[in-house]
Amino acid sequence: MPREKKLRGRLAERKRKRQEDEDAGLDEHVAKNQKIDNERSGFGDIPDALEWIEPAGTAETPFFGMLSDDEQDYFKRADELLVLNQFDDTDGRALFIDNVYREAAGKELKIACSQSCSRLMERLILQSNVEQLKNLFQKFSGHFLDLVQHRFASHCCEMLFLQSAPFVMSQADKIHDNPQVLPDDMVYVSMEDLFLYTLNELTGNLGYLMTDRHASHAFRVLLVVLDGRPLTVASTKSLLQSKSKEDVAKTHISTGNIEESRHTRRDTPESFETALDKLLLEVASTLDATFLRVLATHPTGNPALQLLIEIEISRHKNHPGHGLSILEKLIPSLTAAPDDDTVAFFKNLMFDPIGSRLLETIVRGAPGKTFKNVYRRFFRDNMGQLVKNDTASYVVMRVLERLSRESLEDAMTSLLPQVPSLLARSRTAIIKTMVERCTIRGANTEPLEEAIRASYGKHSELIVQMLGMVEPEQQQPAVEEAADERWKATADQLHGSLLAQSMFAASGPLSRLVQESLNALPSQTILRMANQASTSHVLQSALTSPASSVSFRRKIINHFFGHVGGLAVSLSGSHVVDALRTATEGVSNYRERIAQELLQEETKVRESRIGRAVWRNWMMDLYVRRRAEWGMKFKSLGEANEAISHGNGKDAATIPSITLARARYAATKAKGPGRGVARSGASRAGHVS
């Protein structure tokens, strides 16, 4: 047993006093800041509500022992081999994993709690079969309450839950009729029962687990598994882990149907639904309104509360008999006249960076009657004021997504006067939402187009200001060569690019406005846009949008003649060259001219990895050998795209299914294999300021 390292003498005494003074100052600073935050939020001394919750588990954190030096060396080496993944075949990797499990028998808890070897446990879980997962589940059983609170073991628990979820309803988890399948000393336990045992073990400590730094993540993963939600969807992952979480799954090997089941909603047994109902009832009955409101603005507790309310709302929609006990307790009288305390709490949430995310969840999924009452009492008369705030504007965006056409046009009346100030502060996300919702609902977009035009002024400056483009000498690249490739857009420029793309996709005045602005730009600016990641997306949208006329596409394509070879070997420009395939439909002479330029630069293009992808997508080998067949291929591709676009429109019912299927097959065959080139796109996540 290692002994604590101690210092003696006057030096140790000085160090001890200095540490005590620093701790006292830190506690005073935290208490002062907490008091200020509470006064601003209007909750007074609510954080004291967390003090009555005692830490879960035993009084002392259990110690499962330490690995010896030889054991640590062995498991570190095994971890390195799993990362390298240089096995001859699948059987060789499976045999290696089986040997590691045999060596780790009886040491599973030590490995999970080890700083140096817990990553090995995660990688083992990633590549384990159902029998190995169930065996590890049983080793952890009885210790989950302590493991989920551990700094390293909590990650192993999360990985175990995620990897075991697809096997709950799979046939691989069904016991065979032959009783000789299982050893005499092993009792069969289904994966369903293992999850239920784990939930029972954690029940009774939910208040503490939701606010614990490590246990909260494992608790959220367990909720997602019980509810049958997709495991790899971006919206789910954002609730389960932070952006800084280490990704140990980079070397994960796909497992066919099991891997595909992670991207779709999973079927769950009835016992999971019953367990979820009991869990929601326990949360609503044991946690009072004061504690729930503290969770609403708690950095760790807020995501867990979001997930609980999402599950409760979804179960209420699918089974109207289920009530909204947690939501009603958090914000009572949502379907009636709320009291002053509820109104103050709701308004404080709108301006809180953490609490506003909970409001987005409520607004997005609330039943129609509840949403109408919330909109009428808190948003309808205050849209213009709320959109000025950087935090509340995100809640306004979720509100706009649920409004009908008439309500949307009424809301636009109060939002349009704020458009100039929003564009001046580069708050384009709310305007992008307005453009998209007006297009979807079929609302009148002329007032919005006039407000945007008046905000930017000249046509030639509109698209440049919207994208936040700077002069080449102001970019200050790290090196002179490939300056446009190394230039990285800011958050404001990315959001401006998304706004421009949405305007190109919208038919009517909005698309004409950005088309006129793009036509007014010189060739040098157009080429610079093609070589930058965020702005090249705008050109692709302009060239491929159904709202773009043939004459507009011709004017834009004219800027690229003489530069196609250089764009084809550019990381961003190559995607613009690919977009020209669709843009040249109906103008075959332009298509042949672009192919001729690629042929003239054949050596340069084929020496580049990116250029080879462009060469393949343009089917240049076929163009060199059989030009007539090449033209027919592109013609059939254009007809297929047209049939698919009509099939996705209002006349889909008039087109036979076999015709659409043939069109899709022709389009897939004509496009050939995928690019295989990574593309960095604009970030659409969360509250980016």
Side-chain angles (χ1 to χ4, degrees), residues 505-519:
S507 58
L510 291 172
S511 61
R512 289 195 296 269
L513 177 62
V514 286
Q515 288 176 9
E516 293 172 1
S517 177
L518 195 61
N519 277 331

PDB file of all heavy atoms in Angstrom, residues 505-519:
ATOM      1  N   ALA A 505     -31.336  29.266 -51.967  1.00  0.00           N
ATOM      2  CA  ALA A 505     -32.287  28.159 -52.052  1.00  0.00           C
ATOM      3  C   ALA A 505     -33.726  28.635 -52.063  1.00  0.00           C
ATOM      4  O   ALA A 505     -34.616  27.907 -52.506  1.00  0.00           O
ATOM      5  CB  ALA A 505     -32.072  27.200 -50.880  1.00  0.00           C
ATOM      6  N   ALA A 506     -33.980  29.857 -51.570  1.00  0.00           N
ATOM      7  CA  ALA A 506     -35.342  30.395 -51.528  1.00  0.00           C
ATOM      8  C   ALA A 506     -35.689  31.011 -52.880  1.00  0.00           C
ATOM      9  O   ALA A 506     -34.919  31.786 -53.439  1.00  0.00           O
ATOM     10  CB  ALA A 506     -35.462  31.435 -50.416  1.00  0.00           C
ATOM     11  N   SER A 507     -36.831  30.668 -53.395  1.00  0.00           N
ATOM     12  CA  SER A 507     -37.263  31.255 -54.666  1.00  0.00           C
ATOM     13  C   SER A 507     -37.919  32.606 -54.413  1.00  0.00           C
ATOM     14  O   SER A 507     -38.383  32.892 -53.306  1.00  0.00           O
ATOM     15  CB  SER A 507     -38.251  30.316 -55.363  1.00  0.00           C
ATOM     16  OG  SER A 507     -39.375  30.074 -54.531  1.00  0.00           O
ATOM     17  N   GLY A 508     -37.929  33.440 -55.456  1.00  0.00           N
ATOM     18  CA  GLY A 508     -38.587  34.729 -55.343  1.00  0.00           C
ATOM     19  C   GLY A 508     -37.612  35.865 -55.104  1.00  0.00           C
ATOM     20  O   GLY A 508     -36.452  35.826 -55.538  1.00  0.00           O
ATOM     21  N   PRO A 509     -38.035  36.913 -54.403  1.00  0.00           N
ATOM     22  CA  PRO A 509     -37.204  38.118 -54.250  1.00  0.00           C
ATOM     23  C   PRO A 509     -35.865  37.863 -53.560  1.00  0.00           C
ATOM     24  O   PRO A 509     -34.866  38.492 -53.907  1.00  0.00           O
ATOM     25  CB  PRO A 509     -38.091  39.046 -53.412  1.00  0.00           C
ATOM     26  CG  PRO A 509     -39.477  38.544 -53.592  1.00  0.00           C
ATOM     27  CD  PRO A 509     -39.355  37.069 -53.771  1.00  0.00           C
ATOM     28  N   LEU A 510     -35.835  36.965 -52.592  1.00  0.00           N
ATOM     29  CA  LEU A 510     -34.591  36.743 -51.846  1.00  0.00           C
ATOM     30  C   LEU A 510     -33.513  36.153 -52.739  1.00  0.00           C
ATOM     31  O   LEU A 510     -32.344  36.580 -52.695  1.00  0.00           O
ATOM     32  CB  LEU A 510     -34.865  35.815 -50.656  1.00  0.00           C
ATOM     33  CG  LEU A 510     -35.723  36.409 -49.538  1.00  0.00           C
ATOM     34  CD1 LEU A 510     -36.081  35.339 -48.511  1.00  0.00           C
ATOM     35  CD2 LEU A 510     -34.999  37.565 -48.866  1.00  0.00           C
ATOM     36  N   SER A 511     -33.845  35.150 -53.548  1.00  0.00           N
ATOM     37  CA  SER A 511     -32.841  34.559 -54.433  1.00  0.00           C
ATOM     38  C   SER A 511     -32.407  35.556 -55.504  1.00  0.00           C
ATOM     39  O   SER A 511     -31.223  35.622 -55.856  1.00  0.00           O
ATOM     40  CB  SER A 511     -33.393  33.286 -55.073  1.00  0.00           C
ATOM     41  OG  SER A 511     -34.545  33.567 -55.846  1.00  0.00           O
ATOM     42  N   ARG A 512     -33.329  36.366 -56.019  1.00  0.00           N
ATOM     43  CA  ARG A 512     -32.947  37.362 -57.023  1.00  0.00           C
ATOM     44  C   ARG A 512     -32.000  38.402 -56.441  1.00  0.00           C
ATOM     45  O   ARG A 512     -31.105  38.893 -57.139  1.00  0.00           O
ATOM     46  CB  ARG A 512     -34.200  38.036 -57.587  1.00  0.00           C
ATOM     47  CG  ARG A 512     -35.029  37.138 -58.492  1.00  0.00           C
ATOM     48  CD  ARG A 512     -36.020  37.957 -59.301  1.00  0.00           C
ATOM     49  NE  ARG A 512     -37.001  38.618 -58.446  1.00  0.00           N
ATOM     50  CZ  ARG A 512     -38.168  38.094 -58.105  1.00  0.00           C
ATOM     51  NH1 ARG A 512     -38.497  36.876 -58.547  1.00  0.00           N
ATOM     52  NH2 ARG A 512     -39.014  38.753 -57.331  1.00  0.00           N
ATOM     53  N   LEU A 513     -32.182  38.732 -55.156  1.00  0.00           N
ATOM     54  CA  LEU A 513     -31.317  39.728 -54.529  1.00  0.00           C
ATOM     55  C   LEU A 513     -29.868  39.266 -54.487  1.00  0.00           C
ATOM     56  O   LEU A 513     -28.957  40.008 -54.875  1.00  0.00           O
ATOM     57  CB  LEU A 513     -31.828  40.017 -53.111  1.00  0.00           C
ATOM     58  CG  LEU A 513     -30.983  40.990 -52.274  1.00  0.00           C
ATOM     59  CD1 LEU A 513     -30.946  42.360 -52.925  1.00  0.00           C
ATOM     60  CD2 LEU A 513     -31.533  41.079 -50.851  1.00  0.00           C
ATOM     61  N   VAL A 514     -29.617  38.046 -54.032  1.00  0.00           N
ATOM     62  CA  VAL A 514     -28.241  37.561 -53.950  1.00  0.00           C
ATOM     63  C   VAL A 514     -27.687  37.228 -55.334  1.00  0.00           C
ATOM     64  O   VAL A 514     -26.477  37.339 -55.572  1.00  0.00           O
ATOM     65  CB  VAL A 514     -28.157  36.335 -53.017  1.00  0.00           C
ATOM     66  CG1 VAL A 514     -28.294  36.752 -51.566  1.00  0.00           C
ATOM     67  CG2 VAL A 514     -29.207  35.293 -53.362  1.00  0.00           C
ATOM     68  N   GLN A 515     -28.538  36.839 -56.262  1.00  0.00           N
ATOM     69  CA  GLN A 515     -28.068  36.594 -57.629  1.00  0.00           C
ATOM     70  C   GLN A 515     -27.586  37.878 -58.280  1.00  0.00           C
ATOM     71  O   GLN A 515     -26.535  37.899 -58.943  1.00  0.00           O
ATOM     72  CB  GLN A 515     -29.190  35.959 -58.462  1.00  0.00           C
ATOM     73  CG  GLN A 515     -29.486  34.508 -58.109  1.00  0.00           C
ATOM     74  CD  GLN A 515     -30.663  33.958 -58.874  1.00  0.00           C
ATOM     75  OE1 GLN A 515     -31.169  34.594 -59.803  1.00  0.00           O
ATOM     76  NE2 GLN A 515     -31.124  32.772 -58.491  1.00  0.00           N
ATOM     77  N   GLU A 516     -28.317  38.962 -58.099  1.00  0.00           N
ATOM     78  CA  GLU A 516     -27.889  40.250 -58.646  1.00  0.00           C
ATOM     79  C   GLU A 516     -26.568  40.699 -58.028  1.00  0.00           C
ATOM     80  O   GLU A 516     -25.695  41.236 -58.718  1.00  0.00           O
ATOM     81  CB  GLU A 516     -28.968  41.299 -58.400  1.00  0.00           C
ATOM     82  CG  GLU A 516     -30.258  41.067 -59.173  1.00  0.00           C
ATOM     83  CD  GLU A 516     -31.359  42.020 -58.746  1.00  0.00           C
ATOM     84  OE1 GLU A 516     -31.094  42.867 -57.854  1.00  0.00           O
ATOM     85  OE2 GLU A 516     -32.480  41.928 -59.274  1.00  0.00           O
ATOM     86  N   SER A 517     -26.423  40.475 -56.724  1.00  0.00           N
ATOM     87  CA  SER A 517     -25.182  40.868 -56.060  1.00  0.00           C
ATOM     88  C   SER A 517     -24.005  40.032 -56.547  1.00  0.00           C
ATOM     89  O   SER A 517     -22.902  40.553 -56.764  1.00  0.00           O
ATOM     90  CB  SER A 517     -25.337  40.727 -54.546  1.00  0.00           C
ATOM     91  OG  SER A 517     -24.143  41.035 -53.874  1.00  0.00           O
ATOM     92  N   LEU A 518     -24.214  38.729 -56.742  1.00  0.00           N
ATOM     93  CA  LEU A 518     -23.135  37.867 -57.211  1.00  0.00           C
ATOM     94  C   LEU A 518     -22.752  38.194 -58.652  1.00  0.00           C
ATOM     95  O   LEU A 518     -21.565  38.148 -59.014  1.00  0.00           O
ATOM     96  CB  LEU A 518     -23.568  36.405 -57.094  1.00  0.00           C
ATOM     97  CG  LEU A 518     -22.464  35.344 -57.205  1.00  0.00           C
ATOM     98  CD1 LEU A 518     -21.443  35.520 -56.096  1.00  0.00           C
ATOM     99  CD2 LEU A 518     -23.067  33.945 -57.141  1.00  0.00           C
ATOM    100  N   ASN A 519     -23.709  38.556 -59.466  1.00  0.00           N
ATOM    101  CA  ASN A 519     -23.418  38.926 -60.857  1.00  0.00           C
ATOM    102  C   ASN A 519     -22.598  40.203 -60.946  1.00  0.00           C
ATOM    103  O   ASN A 519     -21.872  40.410 -61.925  1.00  0.00           O
ATOM    104  CB  ASN A 519     -24.724  39.098 -61.642  1.00  0.00           C
ATOM    105  CG  ASN A 519     -25.265  37.782 -62.153  1.00  0.00           C
ATOM    106  OD1 ASN A 519     -24.511  36.844 -62.415  1.00  0.00           O
ATOM    107  ND2 ASN A 519     -26.578  37.687 -62.282  1.00  0.00           N
TER     108      ASN A 519
END
